[in-house]
Amino acid sequence: MNKAAIYHRPESEYAYLYTADELRLRIRTAKNDIQSISVIAGDPYNWQNGTWQKSANVVMKKTLVTETHQYWQASLTAPFNRLNYGFILTDSLGDSIFYGDQGFETLTSSSNDDSGLMGANNYFKMPYFQEIDRFKAPEWVKKTVWYQIFPERFANGDTSNDPSETLPWRSGDHPTAESFYGGDLQGIIKHLDHFSQLGINGLYLTPIFKAPTNHKYDTQDYFEIDPHFGTKEDFKLLVEKAHAAGIRVMLDAVFNHIGDQSPQWQDVIANGRQSKYADWFHIRDFPVRYTPTDNFEYTADANYDTFAFTPHMPKLNTANPEVQDYLIDIATYWIKEFDIDGWRLDVANEVDHHFWKKFRAATTAIKPDIYILGEIWTSAQSWLQGDEFSAVMNYAFTGSIVDFFAKQQISPSQMVHKLNAQLMLNRDQTNQVMFNLLDSHDAPRILTVANNNKAIVKQMYT
């Protein structure tokens, strides 16, 4: 028996409330090593004649398998909402062990006798089924098919708000951040029927707030729609018409950084250390400065933290209570005034957990079933405990799909193993609302990746 591969962690994705009274347990073992596992469980206060009494012996089911591990699962309930539990594992030779909070203990192989294991400290515990701590996913997201829109590129529905140097719509162009084609909110409104025909019931819009570039990730004013996209009345109409058509709307929150044209950063440039916004940013010394380089993007001598070495996006200090209040006011404003259904959180892993907890509390207080989606490209368990995000953009899923279907770099079994490993990182209710995508504005289009293999492209179109 490979004891080193056996793993369980209480109050995690290995032991969590799925519903108010259902505890789901997982345990990991080495692949092809264990023949059976059962869970012995009972109320921690159920003692008779000085002996703790178990009340359940549940056989676990084999679930997902990866290249190296097998996962098992069982569901338990408890009449008084608390449980002691441990695992009896039997290998292919018939040898059995008990696994609990204090590690492994040997069992008599012939009888699987667990009578000597009744000490309360030997068991994992769910001290109480706390409903307030249960991870709650928005039910509507489970059936949502999302359509991502980069508003400046999608459709030009109102030429009167076009930028002064709007380019003609054509394929093959290689635009910069300052190339404008006139896409706007009216263009999205005019295509709502088309979304419904496609079976789309969720729209994710990249930033729509006032900003100098076409991508709008360098926000100048979070409380204003960019005038090239339209007005607040246009956006309110978009949300109302989308809701009438059964379509939810999610906006992009860029709270890790702000644009260098924002009044807050401009005040720091003008007043240095005396600026009332000096502590809003991560600045090493004053005055703030950077030296432009040939590509105008990267600089080695900026004395303030930025997003991705981009000097035009100074990093916000979200540990500052004033910054927290400012950003939460933004988040709640667009929910209260426009009834948006979700926030996609840009560069979410570079913002502190303390702020995201406050963000969730504030937004769910207004709209309990709001979808909070973090942009995190790697494993994200620390953000997915139920007190921060609903889900993350599932780029690990993307990578496995692209590697198999588009690049043909892995086998079918390798793809399945990778997907299974990702599923076992999270609770079931988290997996049910993950934002699974094939590509995005931050990733090459899957057909572009597959283009080197004409057979794959042909399969995708037939």
Side-chain angles (χ1 to χ4, degrees):
M1 185 179 296
N2 184 354
K3 293 182 180 178
I6 298 170
Y7 184 73
H8 174 80
R9 189 172 75 256
E11 297 202 61
S12 71
E13 67 274 12
Y14 282 83
Y16 60 93
L17 289 180
Y18 182 71
T19 64
D21 57 3
E22 179 188 351
L23 175 67
R24 289 194 175 178
L25 298 179
R26 293 175 184 163
I27 188 171
R28 187 195 73 188
T29 65
K31 185 178 180 181
N32 300 324
D33 183 47
I34 300 299
Q35 179 178 324
S36 64
I37 303 178
S38 60
V39 183
I40 54 175
D43 191 291
Y45 300 110
N46 186 11
W47 291 76
Q48 295 181 18
N49 300 320
T51 302
W52 179 72
Q53 304 295 309
K54 68 182 181 182
S55 58
N57 191 329
V58 178
V59 177
M60 302 193 80
K61 294 180 180 179
K62 283 185 177 182
T63 56
L64 301 182
V65 64
T66 70
E67 189 174 4
T68 54
H69 294 103
Q70 174 70 59
Y71 289 85
W72 307 69
Q73 183 161 309
S75 294
L76 285 82
T77 59
F80 299 104
N81 293 328
R82 58 194 180 222
L83 277 175
N84 280 0
Y85 65 91
F87 304 94
I88 296 178
L89 300 93
T90 304
D91 65 16
S92 55
L93 299 177
D95 295 329
S96 297
I97 59 170
F98 172 85
Y99 176 49
D101 191 61
Q102 304 302 308
F104 299 101
E105 295 192 33
T106 303
L107 292 173
T108 304
S109 59
S110 60
S111 63
N112 283 351
D113 181 14
D114 62 359
S115 60
L117 303 173
M118 293 303 134
N121 290 334
N122 292 42
Y123 289 83
F124 295 111
K125 298 183 185 302
M126 174 59 80
Y128 197 81
F129 289 16
Q130 299 284 1
E131 172 63 11
I132 193 172
D133 289 333
R134 182 171 66 88
F135 188 108
K136 300 174 184 66
E139 192 67 26
W140 60 269
V141 182
K142 297 177 183 179
K143 299 180 180 179
T144 300
V145 179
W146 292 99
Y147 190 101
Q148 180 183 354
I149 293 179
F150 190 92
E152 214 287 319
R153 289 293 185 276
F154 181 71
N156 190 344
D158 181 1
T159 56
S160 69
N161 60 27
D162 286 1
S164 58
E165 296 182 0
T166 300
L167 299 170
W169 291 67
R170 61 191 177 209
S171 61
D173 284 355
H174 295 281
T176 68
E178 287 73 38
S179 301
F180 297 93
Y181 291 79
D184 53 31
L185 297 176
Q186 283 294 339
I188 300 172
I189 292 171
K190 291 179 178 180
H191 284 78
L192 288 174
D193 287 344
H194 180 58
F195 296 137
S196 295
Q197 292 168 8
L198 290 174
I200 303 299
N201 55 356
L203 296 180
Y204 154 41
L205 311 185
T206 56
I208 61 173
F209 310 122
K210 186 177 181 181
T213 58
N214 54 30
H215 57 71
K216 311 300 177 190
Y217 283 97
D218 51 345
T219 310
Q220 184 174 341
D221 189 340
Y222 293 96
F223 286 100
E224 295 296 333
I225 301 288
D226 192 279
H228 295 150
F229 289 167
T231 65
K232 289 182 178 179
E233 289 71 25
D234 292 330
F235 182 62
K236 183 177 286 288
L237 181 63
L238 168 59
V239 175
E240 289 174 352
K241 284 184 171 291
H243 285 174
I247 299 172
R248 307 273 184 155
V249 178
M250 178 166 63
L251 293 184
D252 208 325
V254 189
F255 291 168
N256 170 70
H257 52 272
I258 197 170
D260 64 347
Q261 298 302 308
S262 64
Q264 296 90 342
W265 185 248
Q266 288 296 309
D267 194 275
V268 171
I269 293 174
N271 299 302
R273 196 181 300 276
Q274 305 308 313
S275 170
K276 63 180 179 180
Y277 301 108
D279 293 331
W280 278 42
F281 303 92
H282 293 275
I283 301 170
R284 290 181 283 281
D285 57 79
F286 292 89
V288 294
R289 63 190 180 276
Y290 76 92
T291 301
T293 56
D294 290 341
N295 62 15
F296 205 59
E297 289 293 330
Y298 300 96
T299 175
D301 65 346
N303 65 335
Y304 53 92
D305 293 348
T306 67
F307 169 59
F309 300 111
T310 306
H312 307 292
M313 299 182 186
K315 183 176 176 65
L316 289 163
N317 176 18
T318 51
N320 183 328
E322 291 181 0
V323 175
Q324 295 173 9
D325 291 344
Y326 173 66
L327 297 178
I328 288 173
D329 282 349
I330 294 162
T332 54
Y333 170 78
W334 293 93
I335 300 170
K336 289 185 290 188
E337 298 299 323
F338 299 91
D339 197 25
I340 66 167
D341 303 288
W343 278 112
R344 182 263 189 185
L345 308 174
D346 187 58
V347 202
N349 58 338
E350 294 189 24
V351 176
D352 61 272
H353 291 281
H354 180 83
F355 172 75
W356 287 136
K357 288 176 170 62
K358 291 187 70 173
F359 176 94
R360 180 183 182 87
T363 54
T364 56
I366 301 168
K367 196 165 194 173
D369 67 345
I370 191 166
Y371 186 43
I372 303 175
L373 175 68
E375 184 206 8
I376 297 178
W377 292 57
T378 55
S379 301
Q381 292 100 319
S382 15
W383 290 272
L384 296 172
Q385 301 302 309
D387 56 354
E388 295 186 41
F389 306 161
S390 310
V392 296
M393 300 185 75
N394 201 356
Y395 280 108
F397 166 89
T398 310
S400 298
I401 297 298
V402 169
D403 285 348
F404 174 67
F405 286 101
K407 296 181 178 179
Q408 294 190 315
Q409 291 180 344
I410 60 176
S411 67
S413 60
Q414 286 175 314
M415 178 188 69
V416 171
H417 290 161
K418 287 176 178 289
L419 294 175
N420 286 348
Q422 289 300 316
L423 286 169
M424 291 293 96
L425 291 176
N426 304 303
R427 295 162 174 79
D428 288 338
Q429 56 263 55
T430 310
N431 290 327
Q432 292 164 358
V433 296
M434 277 295 210
F435 194 88
N436 299 322
L437 65 165
L438 296 180
D439 48 43
S440 74
H441 63 295
D442 284 325
R445 297 293 183 265
I446 188 170
L447 286 178
T448 302
V449 177
N451 198 45
N452 291 331
N453 188 323
K454 302 299 182 183
I456 291 293
V457 175
K458 184 177 180 181
Q459 291 171 24
M460 289 180 174
Y461 279 104
T462 57

